[in-house]
Amino acid sequence: MANRTVKDAHSIKGTNPQYLVEKITRTRIYECRYWKEECFALTAALIVDKAMELKYVGGVFGGNIKPVPFLCLLLKMLQIQPEKDIVVEFIKNEDFKYVRALGAIYMRLTGTSVDCYKYLEPLYYDYRKLKRIDRNGAFHIIHMDEFIDELLREERACDIILPRIQKRNVLEETNVLEPRISAIEEDVDEMESEDEDEIIKEAKKIIPQETKSKRSPSPHRRRRSPPRKENRQRSPGRRRSRSRDRPDKRHRSPGRRHKEDSHKRSGGGGGSSSKRSRQDSDHHDRDKDRHDHDHHRSSRHTSDKDRSRHRDKDKSSRDNREHRSHRDEKRRGRDEKSSGKSSVTDQEIKDANEMRAKLGLAPLKI
Amino acid sequence: MLEITCNDRLGKKVRVKCNEDDTIGDLKKLIAAQTGTRADKIVLKKWYTIFKDHVTLGDYEIHDGQNLELYYQ
């Protein structure tokens, strides 16, 4: 009951005036202590008293979205819908600046474009300071004219989306409003003319300096030699790193590759076939599980002499080789997977860095 | 660099790449860029712990692959 709008209230922007405040914010206001204690059964007169006690302007703050009294009273005004005269009185009063601010934002929410400009622009000449609380709970000082400017230009104020009003130039063209004459316009014109003179003087100073710099090219030439020395210093280090890479070059010749592979295959094949012959004779089942991968290898029959020779020698070496081949396969598989992933994630990282640059954040650290 | 998932259990699930020294405020901006909601409307929580805007992810000990709950203000 306490949260319903007055029955004979006229709708604003086609909806319940309370719905100008978003649902989540509105729910938080209904649940807060200030609303339940102070804002119960308020009338327009009593609102004035409460508004006179306001100390700061703001929306919601904190992690758990606590509304400030300013916002609660604003919602209360939307609920009871005071007359336009009362709101204009709020705006015109000189004594209490927070009452003024409250009236101003209510007018901005509920009034027509013409009303907004008509009543809020005189407040541009009010230079008094206001305290504002931000989202983190920290207070800042702003001036009344800054606050009014935000109301007229920005989309959101005090965590409420402001309804759209027409631009001033549109209203001026239709002659509903007169063009705005700023009180500091004369001062601004003087400033501009002074700035132009200063710019001309500075340009004259810059031009003789440029000619002087053209006459002395030698400093630029001198700077080129130190980098050469630095390059020379780096080269021994580079040679050292290159020497480690050289063993890989030996393997690139095709003839050598075949020899190595044939060595591996014969050793592995001979070893596995000797193992299988032992299996057949001894019927050890556990060895079958270990060497299931050997099925694809063609079994090469070896003589008994070879078997006896290969038995003891190749057992340890064969096991090592198979372990190594296992490891290499696993590594290759992992590298392929990671390289496959890294090529996709490189693109993602680029996109992410672009987005971060747009938002003004530092790029990703890998 | 770490990648965290933000889920609001209503259909919005977003994976965001960020650094450990990014603040929660920066993370909210990244999420806002991907989801389309406003950054100041987003509330990140884990159970009842509300993450504050000025603290970095490293200080909150948010690691790679963690899931954060996405709520709205």
Side-chain angles (χ1 to χ4, degrees):
Chain A
M1 288 300 284
N3 294 337
R4 273 201 214 153
T5 327
V6 156
K7 270 187 193 172
D8 52 355
H10 40 269
S11 69
I12 295 173
K13 314 290 172 189
T15 64
N16 188 341
Q18 282 195 87
Y19 291 179
L20 284 169
V21 180
E22 286 152 347
K23 174 76 169 133
I24 298 177
T25 317
R26 214 181 334 128
T27 315
R28 298 295 301 148
I29 296 174
Y30 292 153
E31 290 165 3
C32 84
R33 214 185 113 240
Y34 186 83
W35 177 268
K36 291 182 178 175
E37 281 186 12
E38 317 281 334
C39 298
F40 185 74
L42 281 187
T43 62
L46 292 170
I47 273 197
V48 178
D49 296 333
K50 295 282 179 193
M52 291 197 306
E53 291 162 17
L54 282 173
K55 299 280 180 208
Y56 50 90
V57 169
V60 293
F61 73 96
N64 55 349
I65 321 291
K66 277 186 73 174
V68 301
F70 186 83
L71 194 62
C72 296
L73 285 179
L74 182 60
L75 186 63
K76 197 70 195 177
M77 281 180 78
L78 285 169
Q79 198 181 43
I80 62 173
Q81 285 240 312
E83 306 275 333
K84 190 175 161 190
D85 308 329
I86 300 176
V87 182
V88 173
E89 273 307 309
F90 272 37
I91 294 172
K92 283 193 178 160
N93 102 97
E94 296 269 338
D95 300 326
F96 299 98
K97 48 192 182 182
Y98 293 104
V99 177
R100 209 174 217 191
L102 186 65
I105 191 168
Y106 182 83
M107 178 57 90
R108 173 65 176 85
L109 288 176
T110 58
T112 61
S113 309
V114 180
D115 283 340
C116 286
Y117 286 114
K118 197 166 114 187
Y119 293 111
L120 295 186
E121 280 184 354
L123 297 184
Y124 271 134
Y125 302 115
D126 186 349
Y127 304 127
R128 288 182 289 187
K129 291 181 192 170
L130 294 171
K131 252 199 299 195
R132 175 155 65 183
I133 189 168
D134 68 358
R135 255 314 193 83
N136 299 323
F139 286 96
H140 301 280
I141 290 180
I142 59 163
H143 297 88
M144 178 73 87
D145 53 349
E146 286 173 18
F147 182 66
I148 302 295
D149 193 50
E150 279 175 25
L151 286 181
L152 288 176
R153 282 179 205 279
E154 298 279 333
E155 283 182 353
R156 315 185 89 239
C158 299
D159 293 318
I160 299 175
I161 291 262
L162 300 173
R164 285 201 197 147
I165 52 169
Q166 294 203 309
K167 302 265 181 198
R168 202 165 207 296
N169 46 9
V170 173
L171 293 171
E172 283 170 19
E173 279 166 25
T174 56
N175 288 328
V176 178
L177 280 180
E178 289 178 6
R180 184 164 172 261
I181 301 165
S182 169
I184 53 169
E185 206 163 289
E186 290 174 4
D187 298 337
V188 170
D189 288 336
E190 283 175 20
M191 286 278 289
E192 282 179 4
S193 59
E194 280 174 17
D195 285 338
E196 283 172 9
D197 292 334
E198 284 174 12
I199 288 166
I200 292 164
K201 283 179 196 169
E202 281 171 21
K204 282 180 189 165
K205 282 179 196 169
I206 288 165
I207 291 164
Q209 279 177 359
E210 283 176 353
T211 53
K212 278 180 196 170
S213 65
K214 282 177 191 169
R215 284 173 201 164
S216 59
S218 48
H220 294 288
R221 281 183 196 164
R222 276 176 208 161
R223 277 176 208 158
R224 281 178 203 163
S225 50
R228 278 184 199 163
K229 282 180 193 170
E230 285 172 17
N231 283 331
R232 280 177 202 163
Q233 282 168 3
R234 282 178 202 161
S235 50
R238 279 184 192 162
R239 278 181 209 155
R240 279 177 204 162
S241 61
R242 278 177 197 160
S243 65
R244 280 177 201 165
D245 296 335
R246 276 177 199 165
D248 289 334
K249 288 182 187 173
R250 284 178 201 161
H251 295 292
R252 282 181 196 167
S253 61
R256 281 176 183 166
R257 248 192 245 156
H258 284 304
K259 282 184 194 173
E260 287 172 2
D261 288 342
S262 63
H263 273 303
K264 278 183 189 171
R265 274 182 213 157
S266 63
S272 66
S273 61
S274 66
K275 192 66 182 166
R276 267 182 211 146
S277 58
R278 252 186 281 152
Q279 277 179 26
D280 294 335
S281 59
D282 298 336
H283 303 286
H284 283 294
D285 289 328
R286 46 189 155 115
D287 296 329
K288 276 186 194 172
D289 295 331
R290 255 190 244 164
H291 302 292
D292 276 343
H293 67 276
D294 288 10
H295 286 311
H296 63 276
R297 285 189 196 169
S298 59
S299 58
R300 289 176 197 174
H301 297 284
T302 53
S303 61
D304 290 336
K305 286 182 195 173
D306 291 335
R307 243 188 263 163
S308 58
R309 267 184 227 165
H310 287 293
R311 212 186 255 181
D312 298 318
K313 277 185 200 175
D314 285 351
K315 189 185 176 187
S316 53
S317 59
R318 189 218 349 113
D319 288 338
N320 288 338
R321 267 183 220 151
E322 281 170 356
H323 280 302
R324 270 182 224 160
S325 61
H326 248 295
R327 261 185 255 156
D328 291 339
E329 279 173 16
K330 277 183 192 170
R331 271 182 210 162
R332 271 178 233 154
R334 269 182 224 159
D335 289 340
E336 280 167 8
K337 276 184 207 168
S338 65
S339 65
K341 269 187 194 172
S342 67
S343 64
V344 170
T345 54
D346 277 341
Q347 183 57 43
E348 286 177 7
I349 289 170
K350 275 186 208 171
D351 294 337
N353 281 333
E354 277 173 24
M355 188 168 61
R356 289 173 71 97
K358 271 188 218 169
L359 293 169
L361 299 170
L364 288 170
K365 293 172 201 165
I366 299 165
Chain B
M1 183 188 81
L2 44 95
E3 189 173 36
I4 58 171
T5 324
C6 300
N7 195 351
D8 76 343
R9 310 264 172 204
L10 293 170
K12 261 191 203 151
K13 193 169 179 182
V14 152
R15 277 187 317 164
V16 179
K17 286 188 181 36
C18 45
N19 295 327
E20 284 89 3
D21 59 355
D22 279 342
T23 61
I24 295 281
D26 299 337
L27 181 63
K28 286 185 183 177
K29 284 186 204 168
L30 291 168
I31 295 170
Q34 282 193 267
T35 58
T37 51
R38 294 177 67 97
D40 50 2
K41 292 269 174 198
I42 290 172
V43 177
L44 290 170
K45 282 197 206 178
K46 237 185 146 35
W47 195 230
Y48 284 116
T49 313
I50 299 172
F51 290 123
K52 295 194 177 148
D53 284 0
H54 58 279
V55 185
T56 63
L57 294 178
D59 289 339
Y60 267 130
E61 305 230 353
I62 294 172
H63 301 299
D64 189 27
Q66 272 199 0
N67 219 316
L68 301 182
E69 294 158 19
L70 189 59
Y71 291 88
Y72 297 99
Q73 173 261 316

